Amino acid sequence: MTAQQLVFISLEPWDHVWRRNQFLCRELAGRGWEVLFIEPASDWSSGLRRADWSEFRRHEAWSPAGLPSVRVMRPVKVMPRSSTTGRRVNARLLRKQVQRALRRLGWVRPRLWINDHDTWALAAAGDWERVVYDVTDDWARGFDDGPTRRRIEAADRQLCGIADDVIVCSARLCELREPHARRVHLIPNGVDVAAYRDVPGPGETPPRSRVWRRPVLGYTGTLHPERLSLKLIVKLAKQWDGTVVLLGPNHLGDATQPLRSHPNVDVVDAVPYGELPMWMRAMDVMIVPHRVTEFTESLNPLKLWEYLAAGKPVVSTPVAGFRDFPQHVRLPETPAQFIGACQQAAGEDDPARVAARQAEALGHDWSRRAEAAEAVLLGRADGPADADADRGPSAAPLGVDDAVGALSDA
């Protein structure tokens, strides 16, 4: 039987920090799919402005270790996306690069998975057996009302109208997309349960952890000011007798230095995914000091499932996802309560609670998420189809220039 073929347009590169996209592609490959994974493009115009010649490095298509049926490709874009002309040129160039790759692979009308709303014109061109739009964050909420936000909102609306199916990872995103899409399917994030099974027991820990004063509060994930409450972290650092560890891709910029000024705060750069369980083994309590905002309401953090799979006590602000599991997560509402909950969690000595958290994680393995995603890709998933929904423009194929021109006022 011929393998199913999927072009996967990702918002993130395939690197050592694994996220939703890599897990889903790995699982789909294991189910017999061939995947062409398109990374964010090398930006030549940005490279010229910043004299960053690495943007001009040639990127050959490659396969991740152990995944020969996944091919990773990085296209290029040559124009700034701030103008309609630049977006039109980039869209046309992306389509040509993808078409060239498909010819080399011998693929005809594969399925298309779009995670990057900026590439929506590729979906509009109509070269696909089926189009799926995967919404993982409410990206527009990160911008003030202005051209950038309006452009993102317009691209999102266009994709919702074009796509055969829209997948979202949170209930809030489902509410926001249902009025504009044919079918919306809720497929939350998941976890590689087997990778975390042995975290509660004895085992290897990173050398850096040997200087941490216990108890250790740990946060794993992207360090971003839109998500983290820096005020809460500073208060925690001032009152915590142990160590506070923040581990992940760092987008805090100048805010990193005030955190590092506290001797009991350790800010650790992102580590390869395979090493994350080892780092979590050295942590006593997993924390989620997130801001409670409209943006974080749209999230379904991967760390929820990873923390549960690791069996560790969890303390979180009352944000979406975590507050759905009060039986496993402590949910204080004030800074004082947060610190008290951390102290309580650090003193926990109950193997039954560890086992209960890990048992909960079993139902959220990535294999289950991929099974649901495959059903959507094959058109076998149930979902609402409201013919009267306000889905914006027609889903009929458009030329790339016409498609991008539709956003000229955005």
Side-chain angles (χ1 to χ4, degrees):
M1 185 176 67
T2 303
Q4 298 287 351
Q5 298 158 345
L6 177 65
V7 175
F8 196 109
I9 311 293
S10 175
L11 268 167
E12 301 152 340
W14 190 296
D15 56 20
H16 69 275
V17 181
W18 274 41
R19 307 171 183 87
R20 176 183 178 93
N21 292 348
Q22 289 96 325
F23 284 113
L24 286 174
C25 287
R26 182 192 70 178
E27 295 295 330
L28 288 170
R31 301 174 73 88
W33 287 71
E34 295 181 87
V35 179
L36 177 62
F37 186 95
I38 310 293
E39 297 186 303
S42 292
D43 190 338
W44 286 6
S45 63
S46 175
L48 283 173
R49 289 196 307 273
R50 297 181 289 109
D52 180 2
W53 311 122
S54 66
E55 291 286 354
F56 298 89
R57 187 186 308 120
R58 184 173 180 177
H59 297 276
E60 299 289 347
W62 58 283
S63 291
L67 294 173
S69 62
V70 176
R71 299 288 288 169
V72 180
M73 166 188 161
R74 176 173 295 182
V76 300
K77 64 179 180 180
V78 297
M79 298 286 286
R81 62 184 181 185
S82 54
S83 69
T84 302
T85 300
R87 293 194 294 273
R88 180 178 288 121
V89 170
N90 289 335
R92 187 187 304 128
L93 180 59
L94 175 63
R95 187 183 182 195
K96 288 183 178 298
Q97 291 174 89
V98 172
Q99 288 176 328
R100 187 182 306 121
L102 295 181
R103 286 195 298 269
R104 289 174 179 170
L105 292 168
W107 293 7
V108 179
R109 288 185 64 80
R111 287 169 170 80
L112 177 67
W113 180 294
I114 286 194
N115 178 231
D116 182 355
H117 48 263
D118 272 340
T119 62
W120 75 272
L122 190 65
D127 300 332
W128 317 103
E129 176 68 25
R130 194 174 193 88
V131 175
V132 171
Y133 175 34
D134 184 31
V135 187
T136 54
D137 290 285
D138 197 9
W139 296 109
R141 305 289 177 180
F143 297 90
D144 294 332
D145 189 22
T148 299
R149 178 166 179 163
R150 289 196 294 272
R151 178 172 57 79
I152 293 173
E153 290 175 337
D156 177 86
R157 180 70 66 85
Q158 293 280 343
L159 260 174
C160 284
I162 293 166
D164 297 287
D165 298 89
V166 174
I167 293 174
V168 296
C169 68
S170 72
R172 178 57 179 157
L173 288 174
C174 191
E175 293 172 4
L176 293 171
R177 298 310 185 277
E178 276 185 331
H180 312 299
R182 290 179 177 82
R183 283 170 294 273
V184 179
H185 310 271
L186 175 57
I187 303 180
N189 287 316
V191 63
D192 184 353
V193 170
Y196 293 87
R197 184 177 295 124
D198 298 328
V199 169
E204 184 181 4
T205 55
R208 183 165 174 165
S209 70
R210 294 168 192 162
V211 300
W212 293 346
R213 188 169 70 242
R214 309 200 81 86
V216 177
L217 306 180
Y219 175 89
T220 63
T222 302
L223 311 181
H224 197 289
E226 289 293 327
R227 303 187 183 194
L228 290 175
S229 170
L230 300 179
K231 290 182 179 180
L232 176 57
I233 295 171
V234 168
K235 287 183 178 181
L236 190 58
K238 289 179 178 179
Q239 299 184 41
W240 191 249
D241 291 333
T243 306
V244 180
V245 179
L246 308 174
L247 186 158
N250 191 344
H251 299 283
L252 294 176
D254 294 340
T256 303
Q257 193 53 43
L259 294 176
R260 286 194 169 123
S261 67
H262 295 275
N264 64 335
V265 175
D266 192 4
V267 181
V268 183
D269 290 336
V271 301
Y273 175 75
E275 297 179 9
L276 189 56
M278 175 181 68
W279 284 83
M280 291 176 66
R281 183 178 290 118
M283 300 170 182
D284 299 300
V285 178
M286 307 311 302
I287 60 172
V288 189
H290 277 186
R291 301 171 59 199
V292 182
T293 66
E294 195 171 15
F295 175 69
T296 57
E297 276 298 293
S298 72
L299 302 179
N300 179 248
L302 279 100
K303 64 179 63 62
L304 165 62
W305 316 112
E306 292 169 347
Y307 288 3
L308 293 177
K312 296 283 184 175
V314 183
V315 178
S316 173
T317 53
V319 289
F322 287 90
R323 66 171 179 261
D324 296 331
F325 294 90
Q327 70 274 35
H328 301 305
V329 179
R330 292 173 172 86
L331 296 162
E333 296 185 356
T334 69
Q337 291 174 353
F338 195 98
I339 295 167
C342 288
Q343 293 169 338
Q344 183 184 47
E348 180 186 303
D349 183 18
D350 186 352
R353 298 189 72 170
V354 174
R357 288 188 284 261
Q358 291 194 302
E360 179 67 52
L362 285 172
H364 306 279
D365 191 84
W366 278 117
S367 61
R368 291 175 178 256
R369 304 306 195 221
E371 182 179 2
E374 183 178 49
V376 175
L377 285 165
L378 295 175
R380 299 173 182 167
D382 293 331
D386 183 354
D388 297 323
D390 174 17
R391 294 194 299 268
S394 168
L398 300 173
V400 169
D401 287 352
D402 292 335
V404 178
L407 298 189
S408 60
D409 296 327

mmCIF file of all heavy atoms in Angstrom, residues 176-195:
data_model
loop_
_atom_site.group_PDB
_atom_site.id
_atom_site.type_symbol
_atom_site.label_atom_id
_atom_site.label_comp_id
_atom_site.label_asym_id
_atom_site.label_seq_id
_atom_site.Cartn_x
_atom_site.Cartn_y
_atom_site.Cartn_z
ATOM 1 N N LEU A 176 -12.839 30.269 19.913
ATOM 2 C CA LEU A 176 -12.508 31.388 19.044
ATOM 3 C C LEU A 176 -12.571 31.024 17.566
ATOM 4 O O LEU A 176 -12.852 31.880 16.717
ATOM 5 C CB LEU A 176 -11.110 31.914 19.384
ATOM 6 C CG LEU A 176 -10.953 32.583 20.751
ATOM 7 C CD1 LEU A 176 -9.483 32.856 21.041
ATOM 8 C CD2 LEU A 176 -11.754 33.879 20.812
ATOM 9 N N ARG A 177 -12.295 29.750 17.217
ATOM 10 C CA ARG A 177 -12.230 29.363 15.802
ATOM 11 C C ARG A 177 -13.529 28.756 15.272
ATOM 12 O O ARG A 177 -13.761 28.767 14.063
ATOM 13 C CB ARG A 177 -11.093 28.354 15.584
ATOM 14 C CG ARG A 177 -9.682 28.886 15.903
ATOM 15 C CD ARG A 177 -9.419 30.223 15.234
ATOM 16 N NE ARG A 177 -8.057 30.707 15.405
ATOM 17 C CZ ARG A 177 -7.600 31.361 16.465
ATOM 18 N NH1 ARG A 177 -8.418 31.586 17.498
ATOM 19 N NH2 ARG A 177 -6.364 31.790 16.517
ATOM 20 N N GLU A 178 -14.379 28.250 16.140
ATOM 21 C CA GLU A 178 -15.596 27.565 15.671
ATOM 22 C C GLU A 178 -16.481 28.430 14.766
ATOM 23 O O GLU A 178 -17.053 27.920 13.799
ATOM 24 C CB GLU A 178 -16.398 27.034 16.867
ATOM 25 C CG GLU A 178 -15.908 25.680 17.350
ATOM 26 C CD GLU A 178 -16.794 25.114 18.445
ATOM 27 O OE1 GLU A 178 -17.395 25.921 19.185
ATOM 28 O OE2 GLU A 178 -16.880 23.882 18.554
ATOM 29 N N PRO A 179 -16.632 29.728 15.030
ATOM 30 C CA PRO A 179 -17.515 30.516 14.155
ATOM 31 C C PRO A 179 -16.992 30.671 12.724
ATOM 32 O O PRO A 179 -17.752 31.077 11.848
ATOM 33 C CB PRO A 179 -17.565 31.884 14.861
ATOM 34 C CG PRO A 179 -17.157 31.619 16.268
ATOM 35 C CD PRO A 179 -16.160 30.511 16.185
ATOM 36 N N HIS A 180 -15.720 30.372 12.488
ATOM 37 C CA HIS A 180 -15.120 30.698 11.199
ATOM 38 C C HIS A 180 -14.641 29.477 10.414
ATOM 39 O O HIS A 180 -14.098 29.636 9.322
ATOM 40 C CB HIS A 180 -13.925 31.638 11.412
ATOM 41 C CG HIS A 180 -14.224 32.786 12.313
ATOM 42 N ND1 HIS A 180 -15.192 33.723 12.013
ATOM 43 C CD2 HIS A 180 -13.712 33.138 13.519
ATOM 44 C CE1 HIS A 180 -15.260 34.618 13.004
ATOM 45 N NE2 HIS A 180 -14.383 34.274 13.919
ATOM 46 N N ALA A 181 -14.812 28.276 10.943
ATOM 47 C CA ALA A 181 -14.249 27.083 10.315
ATOM 48 C C ALA A 181 -15.332 26.063 10.010
ATOM 49 O O ALA A 181 -16.385 26.040 10.650
ATOM 50 C CB ALA A 181 -13.189 26.468 11.241
ATOM 51 N N ARG A 182 -15.083 25.205 9.026
ATOM 52 C CA ARG A 182 -16.010 24.120 8.713
ATOM 53 C C ARG A 182 -16.116 23.153 9.884
ATOM 54 O O ARG A 182 -17.185 22.813 10.342
ATOM 55 C CB ARG A 182 -15.517 23.353 7.483
ATOM 56 C CG ARG A 182 -15.602 24.106 6.175
ATOM 57 C CD ARG A 182 -15.053 23.206 5.058
ATOM 58 N NE ARG A 182 -15.177 23.838 3.760
ATOM 59 C CZ ARG A 182 -14.313 24.727 3.294
ATOM 60 N NH1 ARG A 182 -13.280 25.065 4.034
ATOM 61 N NH2 ARG A 182 -14.481 25.286 2.106
ATOM 62 N N ARG A 183 -14.951 22.657 10.290
ATOM 63 C CA ARG A 183 -14.882 21.688 11.389
ATOM 64 C C ARG A 183 -13.715 22.061 12.282
ATOM 65 O O ARG A 183 -12.626 22.370 11.791
ATOM 66 C CB ARG A 183 -14.685 20.262 10.854
ATOM 67 C CG ARG A 183 -15.919 19.608 10.269
ATOM 68 C CD ARG A 183 -15.569 18.317 9.552
ATOM 69 N NE ARG A 183 -14.746 18.578 8.383
ATOM 70 C CZ ARG A 183 -15.243 18.870 7.180
ATOM 71 N NH1 ARG A 183 -16.552 18.932 7.002
ATOM 72 N NH2 ARG A 183 -14.431 19.106 6.158
ATOM 73 N N VAL A 184 -13.932 22.014 13.582
ATOM 74 C CA VAL A 184 -12.866 22.272 14.551
ATOM 75 C C VAL A 184 -12.713 21.038 15.425
ATOM 76 O O VAL A 184 -13.706 20.500 15.938
ATOM 77 C CB VAL A 184 -13.182 23.506 15.427
ATOM 78 C CG1 VAL A 184 -12.066 23.723 16.443
ATOM 79 C CG2 VAL A 184 -13.339 24.746 14.562
ATOM 80 N N HIS A 185 -11.483 20.590 15.583
ATOM 81 C CA HIS A 185 -11.187 19.400 16.376
ATOM 82 C C HIS A 185 -10.220 19.782 17.496
ATOM 83 O O HIS A 185 -9.178 20.399 17.237
ATOM 84 C CB HIS A 185 -10.541 18.316 15.510
ATOM 85 C CG HIS A 185 -11.280 18.035 14.235
ATOM 86 N ND1 HIS A 185 -12.291 17.102 14.145
ATOM 87 C CD2 HIS A 185 -11.160 18.594 12.993
ATOM 88 C CE1 HIS A 185 -12.752 17.081 12.906
ATOM 89 N NE2 HIS A 185 -12.087 17.969 12.195
ATOM 90 N N LEU A 186 -10.552 19.419 18.706
ATOM 91 C CA LEU A 186 -9.693 19.702 19.858
ATOM 92 C C LEU A 186 -8.742 18.522 20.063
ATOM 93 O O LEU A 186 -9.168 17.422 20.437
ATOM 94 C CB LEU A 186 -10.547 19.932 21.105
ATOM 95 C CG LEU A 186 -9.784 20.116 22.431
ATOM 96 C CD1 LEU A 186 -8.804 21.280 22.336
ATOM 97 C CD2 LEU A 186 -10.765 20.333 23.579
ATOM 98 N N ILE A 187 -7.461 18.745 19.796
ATOM 99 C CA ILE A 187 -6.419 17.752 20.040
ATOM 100 C C ILE A 187 -5.360 18.418 20.914
ATOM 101 O O ILE A 187 -4.509 19.161 20.425
ATOM 102 C CB ILE A 187 -5.790 17.231 18.736
ATOM 103 C CG1 ILE A 187 -6.867 16.632 17.829
ATOM 104 C CG2 ILE A 187 -4.706 16.193 19.034
ATOM 105 C CD1 ILE A 187 -6.331 16.085 16.514
ATOM 106 N N PRO A 188 -5.435 18.216 22.227
ATOM 107 C CA PRO A 188 -4.472 18.859 23.127
ATOM 108 C C PRO A 188 -3.047 18.362 22.879
ATOM 109 O O PRO A 188 -2.805 17.421 22.111
ATOM 110 C CB PRO A 188 -4.963 18.447 24.520
ATOM 111 C CG PRO A 188 -6.365 17.968 24.322
ATOM 112 C CD PRO A 188 -6.412 17.397 22.933
ATOM 113 N N ASN A 189 -2.108 18.994 23.545
ATOM 114 C CA ASN A 189 -0.740 18.501 23.537
ATOM 115 C C ASN A 189 -0.661 17.188 24.311
ATOM 116 O O ASN A 189 -1.632 16.774 24.953
ATOM 117 C CB ASN A 189 0.207 19.547 24.120
ATOM 118 C CG ASN A 189 0.415 20.708 23.167
ATOM 119 O OD1 ASN A 189 0.601 20.512 21.962
ATOM 120 N ND2 ASN A 189 0.384 21.916 23.679
ATOM 121 N N GLY A 190 0.487 16.564 24.268
ATOM 122 C CA GLY A 190 0.642 15.264 24.916
ATOM 123 C C GLY A 190 2.028 15.104 25.513
ATOM 124 O O GLY A 190 2.751 16.079 25.727
ATOM 125 N N VAL A 191 2.400 13.862 25.734
ATOM 126 C CA VAL A 191 3.676 13.584 26.392
ATOM 127 C C VAL A 191 4.183 12.226 25.940
ATOM 128 O O VAL A 191 3.399 11.320 25.624
ATOM 129 C CB VAL A 191 3.512 13.617 27.933
ATOM 130 C CG1 VAL A 191 2.557 12.539 28.418
ATOM 131 C CG2 VAL A 191 4.864 13.484 28.631
ATOM 132 N N ASP A 192 5.489 12.094 25.900
ATOM 133 C CA ASP A 192 6.136 10.809 25.655
ATOM 134 C C ASP A 192 6.250 10.118 27.011
ATOM 135 O O ASP A 192 7.235 10.279 27.730
ATOM 136 C CB ASP A 192 7.510 11.041 25.025
ATOM 137 C CG ASP A 192 8.218 9.749 24.650
ATOM 138 O OD1 ASP A 192 7.702 8.671 24.987
ATOM 139 O OD2 ASP A 192 9.300 9.825 24.029
ATOM 140 N N VAL A 193 5.211 9.380 27.384
ATOM 141 C CA VAL A 193 5.111 8.822 28.741
ATOM 142 C C VAL A 193 6.339 7.993 29.103
ATOM 143 O O VAL A 193 6.873 8.090 30.214
ATOM 144 C CB VAL A 193 3.827 7.972 28.870
ATOM 145 C CG1 VAL A 193 3.823 7.198 30.182
ATOM 146 C CG2 VAL A 193 2.593 8.869 28.793
ATOM 147 N N ALA A 194 6.815 7.172 28.175
ATOM 148 C CA ALA A 194 7.937 6.271 28.475
ATOM 149 C C ALA A 194 9.193 7.035 28.871
ATOM 150 O O ALA A 194 9.982 6.549 29.691
ATOM 151 C CB ALA A 194 8.220 5.380 27.266
ATOM 152 N N ALA A 195 9.383 8.239 28.322
ATOM 153 C CA ALA A 195 10.591 9.006 28.610
ATOM 154 C C ALA A 195 10.660 9.467 30.061
ATOM 155 O O ALA A 195 11.750 9.711 30.594
ATOM 156 C CB ALA A 195 10.682 10.212 27.674
#
